[in-house]
Amino acid sequence: MNASIDPRLNALLTTTDTDTQETSEWREALLAVLAAQGPERARFLLDELVRTAHSAKIGWRPELSTPYVNSISVDQQPVFPGDLAIEERLASIMRWNALAMVVRANQAYGELGGHIASYASAADLFETGFNHFFEARQGTGPDQHRGDLVFFQPHSAPGVYARAFLEGRLSEQDLLNYRQEIRAAERGAVGLSSYPHPWLMPDFWQFPTGSMGIGPISSIYHARFMRYLSHRNLLDCSARKVWGVFGDGEMDEPESMSALTLAAREGLDNLVWVVNCNLQRLDGPVRGNGRIIDELEKLFTGAGWNVIKLVWGSDWDGLFARDVTGALARAFANTVDGQMQTFAAKDGRFNRDTFFGQNEELAKLAQGMTDDQIDRLKRGGHDLVKIHAAYASATQHVGQPTVILAHTKKGYGMGSAGQGKMTTHSQKKFDDTDLLEFRNRFNLPLSDQEATSLAFYKPAPESAEMQYLQSRRTALGGYLPKRDTACDTVAVPAIEQYSGFALNAEGKEMSTTMAFVRMLGNLLKDSALGPRIVPIVADEARTFGMANLFKQVGIYSSVGQRYAPEDIGSVLSYREALDGQILEEGISEAGAIASWTAAATSYSVHGLAMLPFYIYYSMFGFQRVGDQIWAAADQRPRGFLLGATSGRTTLGGEGLQHQDGSSHLHAATIPNCKAYDPAFAGEMAVIVNQGINDMMIEQRDVFYYITLMNENYAQPSLPAAMHEQVIRGCYLFETFEGQAKVLSPIQAQDGDLSDATAHNTEIGITNKNEAKAPVTKKIAVAGASTSAGNFSHPAVTLLGSGAILTEVIKAARQLAAQGVTAYVYSVTSWSELARDGLACQDARLAGSATAGVPFVYTQVATSAGPIVAATDYVHALPESVRAYLPADRRYLTLGTDGFGRSDTRAALREYFGVDTAAIVRAAMLALE
Ligand SMILES: Cc1ncc(C[n+]2csc(CCOP(=O)(O)OP(=O)(O)O)c2C)c(N)n1
Ligand SMILES: [Mg+2]
C-alpha cells in the first residue's frame, strides 16, 4: 500500500531517525553556530536551508506549532521592575474582594449571578497590565497621550470593580450593589453592571464585551482606526496601544477569528491580545482531547501574528534546566487539555503520582519537592515576572500584532471549591471552610470572622500596598477603565449647502440612494465637517453609485497604492491612498460595522468627533450583524447607518436572501437608534441634517438608521414647514379630494400653490410601474365625511412610507377618481411615532397631568375616515402605532410578511399586496 503513496508524503510520514549520528552532527553544527555567531546567523542558515528544501521540492514545510514551553527564555527575560511581593499581595486582595462581592450579592439575592472563577484565573494578567502597561489618558495639548484602549473579558468585571474599590473610585456601598443597578440609586450607590456596559456606567466602561467575540473583532478595528486617524493626519495615535484580554473559549466565535489576517496585513503592532488559556469554557474543556494553546499558536502564526507562549511560571525554570533529556517537553506533548485540567483540579500528591510518576526521568525531577510545592507550581499566566516579560516583549514588537497565549488555571486558588472543576465557571457559593482555605491560600490578613462574613478588605491609605497601587497608576496617567466624553466641536454646514437640490427637487427623477450619494459628496467637500466624515462600504460602493468617491476622497490604504489601477485614466478611477478617506472593508459586514463603531465612538475614545456613514445592503445589517450593532449602541455611537436597496419589493430580482422586510423592526428595538424610512430625497435631507446636528452639535448619544431605495421616481420639493414633522415621524403629504380639488396643507402653508401642485401631481404619473386598479364597484358609503372640508364625499386616510408611498399616492388618485377623498400621509418613521406614543402612554400611566397626545394622533386628527397603512416591511411595523391612533377609526395595515422572491417590482408588490390596487382594495374594505 505504501507504494502508492506520493513519495514526498511518504517522507513526511517517516518519523524514525535512521541515522542518529548524522542527526546529532547537524544539531551540533547549528548549536555551534548559535554559540559562536549568535541567533541572527543561525536564523539566516535555517532560512537558507528552507529555501534549498523548497527549491528541491521535498514536500516539507515547518510546523506552525512549537513545543509546549515559553517563547521567552529565562535569559531573555527583563528584570522585573516592580515590587513583586506587593504586587502579589495586591492581586490577592483583588481576588478576595471580587469573590466577596459576587458571593455576597448571591447570598442576598440568589438570582443575581456573577462569576468568580474567570477573574481568579485572569487576575495576574489584569494586574500586570494595571501596574505596568495600561496607559490612561494624560497630559494636555498636542502632546496629550489619549490613553490605551483596554478590552476586559466581560465576566472578569468583578476584578475590575475590586481594583476600582482599592483605588477609591468605588465605595463599599457600590460593591454591595453589584448587579443591582435599579435599586442602587435608591440606596445612594452606583449600581455595578454585570459586564462592561458603557450605557449603564458611562464614566467607567469604555468597551462592551459581554457578547463573546465582539470585543475581539472590535479591538482589531479600533486599532486599525487609530492608524487611519494617524495616516490622515487627524490625530497622532502612534504612542497608544489597544489591549484585549479574552477567553480561550471565546476564540471559537467566528467574529474573534474573522479579522486576524486584517490585523496582520495592516501590521497592527499597536494591538496586543492576551488570551487567557485556562483550558476551560463554561460547560467543560475548550479542547479536551487536544491543546488549545497549540491550536491557537498555529492559527495566529498562520494569520501572521507574533505569538508569545506564556506557558510555565518561574518555578518550572529550574525543572526545565535540570531536564537534560527533554522529558518534560515530551510529557507535555502527550498531555491533552482535558488531562491538564484534571491536574489543575487535583492536589500535589496526585500530580506527583500521575504526572511526574509517568517515568523515571520525570519522577527524578520531582524529587526534592514537597507535595505542596508541586501543588503550587505556577502556570505562566499566574507568574507576574513571566507575564511582565511577555507584555514587555509584545509592546516592543514591531510590524505585527501580538497574541500572548497565557496558560492559567480556571478558578485559580479556589481550592476544592472550584479550581479546575468542570462546574467552576458558575460557582458562586462558598462554605466557611472554603473561604478560610482561600484566605490562607492567599495570605489575606482577615480574621476567621471577617473571612466567613465576606468582609471587604482595603488596606489603610498609608500602607505600602496602597501607596504602591496609587503610585503605579499615577505613573501610567491615572485610573482605568475610564470613559471620557469631552471632544472637539466641528462646525456643520447649513442644509441648503449640501441638500438644496433635494429640498427643491421640483419633481426631478432620482432614487433616494442617488440623492444620498450626492449629499455625501457635497458634505465631503465641506472644509470643516468634510474631513471628519468616514464613508464605509463592504464591497458595494459601485452598487450604490458611489464609485465617484474613490477618486474624490480616495480609499484608505496603509501602504498607499503600489500598482497602476486598470482604470487610471477614468474620472472614477480606483484610487487608494495613505490619506484616503473611504474605508473599503471588502466583503465583511462584521468588519465594516466594527469600523463604523470605531469611528462612531471616536468622540469618546479619542476625544475627536468623527462622523461615519456606513452604507450597505439593508438585509445584511441588523439581521446579519445585529449583535454588533447592539454592542455598538451600548458604546453610545454617533453616526449614520444607511440601509440601501431596502424594502421587500424595491430590490426586484435579488430574491429571498437579499430582500429586507424587517430591518426597521430590528432598528426599533434599539433605544438610541433613530430609524427613518423616507420616501423622498427632501425628507432624507432633513433627516440627515437633523442627525448631523444631533450628533455633532448637540452631542447626543444617538445614531441614525436611514433606509434608501434604488427606485427612480419624481422627487417633490419639501416645504420648510414640514421639516419638523418629518423628524417627528409623519406629515400630511397631500389631500386628494373626491371631486372638487381641495388644498393640501403643503400648498396652504407654503403659499406656492401652483408649484407644489405641479410637483406632487407628477408623482405616480412618472412612475413606470403603475398597476391597474381592479376596482369594479363604485362606492357609496354613508356616514364618512371629511372634517377638513365642507363637502360630503366618503374619506379615507392613507399612511405610507419609503418606496411604497408612491403606490399610496397612486391609490389616492384612483380613489379620488372614484369619489373618495384620500388623505395621504408620508410616514418617515414608524418607530419614532411609536416611541412618542409610548412616551405619552407612560406619562399617563405615571399620572402626569401634562401627558401629551401622541403625535400621530394629532396628525391624523385633521383627516377623516378609516386609516390604511402600507409599507415595504412586515405588517408589524405599521402595527406598532395602532394603539396611538383614534380608537373610533378603523385601522388596516398592509405589509410584506413572508420570504422574499425574485420578480419585477410590480409583480412583487402585487404578490405581497402592497401595490396601488391592493391599497385601493384595502381602502374600500375599510370603508365598508
Ligand atoms: C455570544 C455569547 N455566547 C455565550 C455567552 C455566555 N458565556 C459567558 S462566558 C462563557 C464561557 C467563556 O469561556 P472562556 O472564553 O474560555 O472564558 P473563561 O471564563 O474560561 O476565562 C460563556 C459561554 C456569551 N457571553 N456570549
Ligand atoms: Mg477559558
Side-chain angles (χ1 to χ4, degrees):
M1 191 175 164
N2 263 0
S4 64
I5 292 181
D6 181 330
R8 288 172 303 167
L9 195 58
N10 207 8
L12 277 179
L13 296 175
T14 310
T15 51
T16 44
D17 190 347
T18 51
D19 188 344
T20 50
Q21 169 74 24
E22 187 181 41
T23 310
S24 78
E25 281 169 15
W26 276 75
R27 193 184 303 122
E28 275 155 27
L30 179 68
L31 290 175
V33 169
L34 189 60
Q37 297 176 62
E40 200 163 321
R41 176 73 188 149
R43 278 197 294 268
F44 174 82
L45 286 177
L46 287 170
D47 285 345
E48 198 49 40
L49 285 178
V50 170
R51 267 192 289 275
T52 311
H54 285 330
S55 68
K57 306 241 181 296
I58 62 169
W60 174 87
R61 62 173 72 240
E63 276 186 47
L64 290 176
S65 65
T66 57
Y68 208 65
V69 296
N70 294 340
S71 306
I72 299 172
S73 62
V74 185
D75 55 321
Q76 290 167 332
Q77 253 171 240
V79 177
F80 185 70
D83 185 322
L84 196 54
I86 290 189
E87 288 191 28
E88 281 181 345
R89 280 207 295 282
L90 282 169
S92 300
I93 298 169
M94 310 290 174
R95 281 195 167 89
W96 171 260
N97 285 331
L99 175 146
M101 181 180 75
V102 176
V103 177
R104 280 172 79 156
N106 283 276
Q107 279 178 354
Y109 307 98
E111 72 216 68
L112 292 177
H115 304 88
I116 298 166
S118 300
Y119 178 67
S121 74
D124 302 298
L125 300 172
F126 277 32
E127 279 302 298
T128 307
F130 279 121
N131 284 322
H132 300 280
F133 293 94
F134 300 163
E135 300 259 0
R137 196 180 282 198
Q138 53 201 278
T140 49
D143 295 332
Q144 185 187 30
H145 184 301
R146 300 204 181 189
D148 290 343
L149 286 57
V150 188
F151 288 72
F152 294 100
Q153 186 188 35
H155 46 293
S156 288
V160 180
Y161 296 140
R163 172 165 257 273
F165 169 60
L166 286 205
E167 290 169 343
R169 305 168 69 200
L170 294 175
S171 70
E172 187 161 329
Q173 262 307 305
D174 300 331
L175 294 202
L176 287 172
N177 283 282
Y178 169 62
R179 293 193 169 212
Q180 295 154 76
E181 289 135 12
I182 296 166
R183 297 278 178 256
E186 296 163 13
R187 299 174 192 145
V190 176
L192 304 185
S193 61
S194 51
Y195 304 117
H197 292 303
W199 188 263
L200 299 171
M201 295 177 71
D203 304 326
F204 195 87
W205 293 116
Q206 265 189 306
F207 305 106
T209 50
S211 181
M212 308 268 100
I214 290 178
I217 189 172
S218 189
S219 72
I220 291 176
Y221 280 87
H222 271 286
R224 209 272 299 250
F225 189 70
M226 285 159 70
R227 285 285 163 80
Y228 171 89
L229 291 178
S230 296
H231 284 149
R232 289 196 51 218
N233 295 317
L234 290 165
L235 187 71
D236 180 6
C237 299
S238 55
R240 300 163 66 200
K241 295 266 178 220
V242 179
W243 293 85
V245 186
F246 306 116
D248 48 356
E250 183 170 15
M251 290 300 114
D252 279 342
E253 288 286 0
E255 290 87 353
S256 302
M257 288 296 158
S258 59
L260 294 190
T261 49
L262 172 122
R265 203 162 54 241
E266 296 288 314
L268 298 181
D269 52 18
N270 57 346
L271 178 66
V272 182
W273 278 13
V274 181
V275 179
N276 179 9
C277 297
N278 56 24
L279 317 184
Q280 291 178 249
R281 44 183 163 75
L282 193 154
D283 282 344
V286 178
R287 295 287 182 274
N289 294 310
R291 273 186 301 280
I292 188 65
I293 291 183
D294 289 4
E295 188 179 321
L296 293 178
E297 178 183 25
K298 286 186 226 171
L299 200 75
F300 280 88
T301 305
W305 285 51
N306 172 42
V307 179
I308 298 177
K309 294 207 300 191
L310 170 57
V311 191
W312 303 110
S314 304
D315 343 317
W316 289 87
D317 288 342
L319 294 177
F320 279 111
R322 285 196 279 128
D323 176 25
V324 282
T325 64
L328 279 172
R330 272 197 307 282
F332 293 138
N334 292 318
T335 306
V336 292
D337 285 356
Q339 189 59 46
M340 199 66 92
Q341 181 193 331
T342 303
F343 291 141
K346 304 289 184 185
D347 60 10
R349 177 88 229 164
F350 180 91
N351 276 272
R352 178 193 297 285
D353 294 346
T354 319
F355 179 75
F356 288 104
Q358 290 181 72
N359 57 48
E360 272 295 294
E361 290 157 296
L362 291 174
K364 238 197 247 154
L365 289 175
Q367 269 171 18
M369 282 195 289
T370 64
D371 287 350
D372 199 41
Q373 283 171 324
I374 291 179
D375 190 42
R376 297 285 183 99
L377 282 173
K378 277 183 185 166
R379 294 185 180 175
H382 295 307
D383 184 321
L384 299 176
V385 175
K386 297 280 185 198
I387 300 170
H388 177 272
Y391 287 14
S393 169
T395 53
Q396 285 150 22
H397 189 78
V398 177
Q400 288 174 300
T402 292
V403 63
I404 295 165
L405 302 174
H407 189 205
T408 64
K409 292 180 179 174
K410 190 147 179 171
Y412 185 62
M414 284 163 70
S416 53
Q419 180 172 289
K421 293 272 190 275
M422 271 312 166
T423 53
T424 194
H425 187 86
S426 311
Q427 174 73 29
K428 44 198 139 272
K429 290 207 176 79
F430 282 74
D431 60 29
D432 288 355
T433 331
D434 297 331
L435 291 171
L436 294 173
E437 208 183 296
F438 193 93
R439 175 202 62 184
N440 297 343
R441 167 73 182 78
F442 291 108
N443 296 323
L444 292 153
L446 297 167
S447 68
D448 284 5
Q449 200 276 329
E450 285 166 331
T452 53
S453 66
L454 291 155
F456 294 122
Y457 175 63
K458 187 170 180 176
E462 60 284 354
S463 66
E465 287 89 347
M466 295 294 267
Q467 296 281 319
Y468 185 85
L469 172 107
Q470 299 291 5
S471 73
R472 289 313 308 149
R473 284 319 309 166
T474 308
L476 291 161
Y479 300 125
L480 268 179
K482 182 169 175 292
R483 183 175 171 276
D484 294 290
T485 51
C487 67
D488 60 341
T489 45
V490 184
V492 305
I495 185 169
E496 294 76 17
Q497 249 181 56
Y498 59 95
S499 279
F501 75 95
L503 294 175
N504 306 302
E506 300 184 342
K508 265 193 222 77
E509 256 198 44
M510 67 185 119
S511 69
T512 49
T513 305
M514 283 160 64
F516 165 74
V517 173
R518 191 165 157 194
M519 261 173 231
L520 183 63
N522 292 342
L523 280 168
L524 283 163
K525 287 181 196 140
D526 185 76
S527 62
L529 183 64
R532 304 303 184 93
I533 289 174
V534 185
I536 303 172
V537 288
D539 202 31
E540 295 287 357
R542 290 185 200 279
T543 312
F544 309 131
M546 292 169 70
N548 61 321
L549 295 183
F550 291 165
K551 185 98 182 235
Q552 185 185 326
V553 294
I555 298 164
Y556 170 69
S557 156
S558 58
V559 293
Q561 192 160 33
R562 294 171 168 175
Y563 58 95
E566 171 277 320
D567 57 358
I568 194 161
S570 151
V571 283
L572 302 179
S573 174
Y574 197 84
R575 186 172 76 85
E576 300 193 58
L578 187 64
D579 62 352
Q581 199 162 349
I582 299 171
L583 288 173
E584 163 63 90
E585 301 298 0
I587 312 171
S588 172
E589 282 78 12
I593 198 72
S595 261
W596 180 83
T597 307
T601 56
S602 173
Y603 75 92
S604 152
V605 176
H606 307 295
L608 185 82
M610 299 293 288
L611 189 64
F613 287 83
Y614 168 33
I615 178 167
Y616 56 91
Y617 260 109
S618 78
M619 191 57 160
F620 305 138
F622 287 90
Q623 173 153 311
R624 183 166 181 123
V625 292
D627 201 24
Q628 281 179 279
I629 300 180
W630 186 249
D634 191 348
Q635 211 183 320
R636 300 169 171 259
R638 298 175 187 164
F640 288 92
L641 294 177
L642 289 309
T645 57
S646 71
R648 187 89 79 201
T649 70
T650 312
L651 193 49
E654 289 287 282
L656 189 151
Q657 211 129 36
H658 284 67
Q659 291 163 350
D660 160 36
S662 51
S663 66
H664 275 288
L665 276 192
H666 288 268
T669 62
I670 302 182
N672 47 344
C673 174
K674 299 185 77 165
Y676 290 92
D677 184 28
F680 298 126
E683 297 171 357
M684 192 179 57
V686 169
I687 294 160
V688 168
N689 185 62
Q690 178 73 23
I692 292 176
N693 278 287
D694 266 3
M695 298 185 278
M696 303 300 285
I697 302 295
E698 303 298 326
Q699 306 209 347
R700 293 203 179 103
D701 292 346
V702 291
F703 66 102
Y704 278 61
Y705 174 57
I706 307 175
T707 38
L708 307 176
M709 279 84 58
N710 60 346
E711 182 177 0
N712 283 322
Y713 44 75
Q715 300 286 343
S717 300
L718 184 76
M722 296 298 137
H723 291 195
E724 198 208 327
Q725 297 173 50
V726 166
I727 297 305
R728 295 190 71 182
C730 71
Y731 67 99
L732 180 58
F733 175 74
E734 189 170 351
T735 304
F736 295 85
E737 197 266 313
Q739 287 168 8
K741 189 83 178 155
V742 294
L743 295 182
S744 80
I746 287 185
Q747 295 161 343
Q749 289 181 38
D750 203 32
D752 183 2
L753 307 186
S754 57
D755 204 20
T757 308
H759 302 155
N760 293 341
T761 308
E762 272 182 55
I763 308 296
I765 295 172
T766 49
N767 196 300
K768 309 278 188 300
N769 299 320
E770 186 146 10
K772 288 175 192 65
V775 181
T776 49
K777 57 174 183 175
K778 275 268 173 203
I779 46 165
V781 181
S785 68
T786 68
S787 57
N790 54 359
F791 44 86
S792 60
H793 305 292
V796 67
T797 296
L798 305 179
L799 312 184
S801 71
I804 297 300
L805 185 68
T806 60
E807 302 286 342
V808 168
I809 292 167
K810 284 182 278 175
R813 264 180 218 302
Q814 290 190 10
L815 287 163
Q818 293 171 53
V820 178
T821 294
Y823 296 86
V824 172
Y825 284 83
S826 174
V827 174
T828 48
S829 175
W830 297 98
S831 46
E832 286 304 297
L833 292 179
R835 270 181 198 159
D836 166 76
L838 191 60
C840 295
Q841 177 183 300
D842 284 347
R844 273 165 192 269
L845 284 171
S848 162
T850 54
V853 178
F855 178 68
V856 65
Y857 185 103
T858 25
Q859 288 293 82
V860 300
T862 57
S863 69
I867 304 169
V868 174
T871 79
D872 216 2
Y873 294 86
V874 291
H875 284 77
L877 188 63
E879 283 295 328
S880 65
V881 305
R882 176 181 289 277
Y884 316 117
L885 293 170
D888 59 346
R889 289 168 70 180
R890 197 168 176 193
Y891 184 50
L892 220 149
T893 57
L894 304 180
T896 57
D897 294 55
F899 283 120
R901 53 198 62 215
S902 313
D903 213 309
T904 61
R905 203 170 273 155
L908 286 167
R909 288 186 183 164
E910 187 182 339
Y911 172 82
F912 282 105
V914 291
D915 60 348
T916 306
I919 297 164
V920 169
R921 280 199 303 278
M924 309 264 248
L925 178 69
L927 284 166
E928 260 171 18

